[in-house]
Amino acid sequence: MFTTRPELAGTFGMVTSTHWLASQSGMAVLEAGGNAFDAAVATGFVLQVVEPHLNGPGGDLPLILKRVDHEPEVLCGQGGAPAGATIEHFRDLGLATVPGTGLLAAAVPGSSVAWLTLLRDHGTMWPADILKYAIHYAESGHPVVERVAALISKMADYFRTYWPTSAQTWLPAPRPGQLQTNPVLARTYSRLVQESQRADTREAACDRAIRAWSEGFVAEAIDAFAKRPMMDSSGTEHTGVITGSDLANWRPSYEQPMSLSWRDNTIYKAAGWAQSPVFLETLAIMDPLLDARFGSDKNWKGFGADQIHLVVEAQKLAFADRDAWFGDAPDHQDLAGLLDPAYLASRRSLISETASLDLRPGRLNGLDPRLPDLSVVTAPVEDASSGEPTVQRDGRTKGDTCHMDVVDRWGNVVSATPSGGWLHSSPTVPDLGFCLGTRLQMVWLEPGLPSSLVPGRRPRTTLSPGMAVAQDGTVTGFGTPGGDQQDQWAMVFWLAHTLGGMNLQAAIDQPTFNIKSMISSFEPRVPEPGVVEVEGRFGADVIADLQRRGHTVTVTGDWSLSRMTAASYDPNTGVLKAGANPRGMQGYAVGR
């Protein structure tokens, strides 16, 4: 079985993430006696430094954790809309949608507070022990990866013209491999540590750091900076609506995940304030058809046109349900009906042997579906910073963010997908060394939708870590960056790993694909009906067969889609395993 690198196996600990320095920092924490939660926090803060184009301290974080002898639970680090973020305010500004960049799109930054909350509640170390790795790389420098250097170069003129604080932070653009520092960010982390050291206990130290962020100098700096008019992708300067009070009034929350009992596993995902239930619904729609289409590890047929067609048609149905039903509205929280056998059968019956070009949400819980009014969607102005990470000037995007999975020798497991606060998402807050996230671009300025803008509500995020617990007790954390593609790329991995019997690394290495038929979560929010992106490793016969079925096939590079990582713990043997994506030559698993 070909793999780009070995599946790691050991008995002490495993950390896998989208950057090798972050993975190794987490492993250093395990070596120092920390547990998986300590290691995850250290990994998360280092990712903010070494992948600033994909996440930052001002971003957001959903996380699934499993403690030994406990059921998995979700830690929600997705902040809500500020108190001043009302539909009326945006409409008074002449806006029909929330800009994809700038200060207006900022939700309450949740990732850093969520990391500190995880450390307080389940870690064993002090903030100083954990933050020292991020402080080191921000202060002394880290070799900048090629994609960071390219993005800064691409944004240089925009920074100089519109976002001078970003120009001060990121310019001149570094060369790939050049040491890049962020001394202001290092001081921000150091101030959190200094505040934490005034406490007598570890838990109190974490609380002091959280207060310094949410009620202290971080909140004060954000409050002051948001009052400065700044250019956004609408082509107009706007001040933000976020205030220090918004940060002070928000804290992360622990929640029960949604789950699906599927064959020999129970799969756990965040609820419908994230797109995560798409994964569960897609798998449940396909389940009765999988054996005939795919076989098993005894006669695994792999991903040919027949298999790809089934997956993408099921995904179209699940994503249509996402666009109609998912969100943080209280009267739309019950999504259990998505997994009702009768509902799944009705959805499954819509799959034919030709490609569907329509958005077809189902009638759920006795209610008719309602999709957003797409007539208000417009492309961002020319030359504006826009949308998702790895954005292109014409508005097209390639999804990316960060992901990690961590397991320790005691059987604790963490799967997390930090994102937001990208260096090109919003102007850098000069006193802090980072910028705010733009997750509010995912809400609608149309009342009455599950994902309509309402103060305090979480924007429906694309971030989607996953966890599975097998009948024998084996726990696997898995996930990928990728915006709307996350649960699609994860599905390829999951089917290859379970039905195909492939180890974690081999399943990650599989050629992959995704649809673009859903309403994009990122500006400019435009669906691309019938479009299927496939990696170039799929043969010409597969591509031709998909086209014959009515799919519009876009062939990408051979190793261009997906950023999967995965790690597992087997309580029966004590063996830990991990794998990491080779694409982009950036992600790595480490362990022993």
Side-chain angles (χ1 to χ4, degrees), residues 164-246:
T165 59
S166 293
Q168 293 165 11
T169 303
W170 303 107
L171 300 181
R175 300 183 305 276
Q178 178 181 337
L179 287 181
Q180 183 182 45
T181 63
N182 189 338
V184 178
L185 178 58
R187 288 197 295 272
T188 297
Y189 290 146
S190 295
R191 289 185 68 179
L192 295 175
V193 169
Q194 291 164 10
E195 185 62 31
S196 73
Q197 290 173 326
R198 299 180 182 180
D200 295 329
T201 67
R202 195 189 64 81
E203 291 81 0
C206 294
D207 278 331
R208 291 192 73 97
I210 289 170
R211 285 197 297 272
W213 178 283
S214 299
E215 302 172 34
F217 76 97
V218 173
E220 292 168 0
I222 290 173
D223 185 292
F225 186 67
K227 294 180 171 64
R228 297 169 57 175
M230 287 287 174
M231 180 65 70
D232 57 44
S233 57
S234 71
T236 302
E237 291 186 345
H238 293 111
T239 58
V241 295
I242 191 169
T243 67
S245 295
D246 293 313

Side-chain angles (χ1 to χ4, degrees), residues 84-166:
T86 64
I87 291 175
E88 293 73 24
H89 177 77
F90 281 84
R91 287 184 169 176
D92 287 346
L93 295 174
L95 296 171
T97 57
V98 177
T101 66
L103 298 174
L104 276 174
V108 175
S111 61
S112 296
V113 178
W115 285 129
L116 292 168
T117 299
L118 180 69
L119 181 65
R120 179 196 66 195
D121 296 342
H122 303 300
T124 65
M125 293 183 165
W126 290 61
D129 301 322
I130 296 301
L131 279 163
K132 66 181 182 181
Y133 303 95
I135 292 171
H136 167 77
Y137 288 121
E139 193 170 56
S140 301
H142 60 93
V144 64
V145 296
E146 183 177 355
R147 294 176 72 183
V148 173
L151 183 58
I152 295 174
S153 294
K154 183 177 182 178
M155 296 299 301
D157 290 342
Y158 192 88
F159 286 169
R160 293 189 189 98
T161 303
Y162 300 114
W163 293 353
T165 59
S166 293

Side-chain angles (χ1 to χ4, degrees), residues 469-484:
V469 180
Q471 286 182 357
D472 68 359
T474 298
V475 184
T476 303
F478 62 94
T480 174
D484 292 320

Side-chain angles (χ1 to χ4, degrees), residues 1-52:
M1 182 183 298
F2 170 78
T3 61
T4 57
R5 55 186 78 169
E7 178 191 59
L8 302 188
T11 58
F12 182 82
M14 295 284 164
V15 183
T16 178
S17 81
T18 46
H19 196 289
W20 64 88
L21 291 178
S23 296
Q24 188 54 51
S25 298
M27 192 66 201
V29 169
L30 293 179
E31 296 285 4
N35 63 20
F37 310 116
D38 297 310
V41 178
T43 303
F45 276 111
V46 171
L47 284 173
Q48 294 176 357
V49 179
V50 300
E51 291 194 319

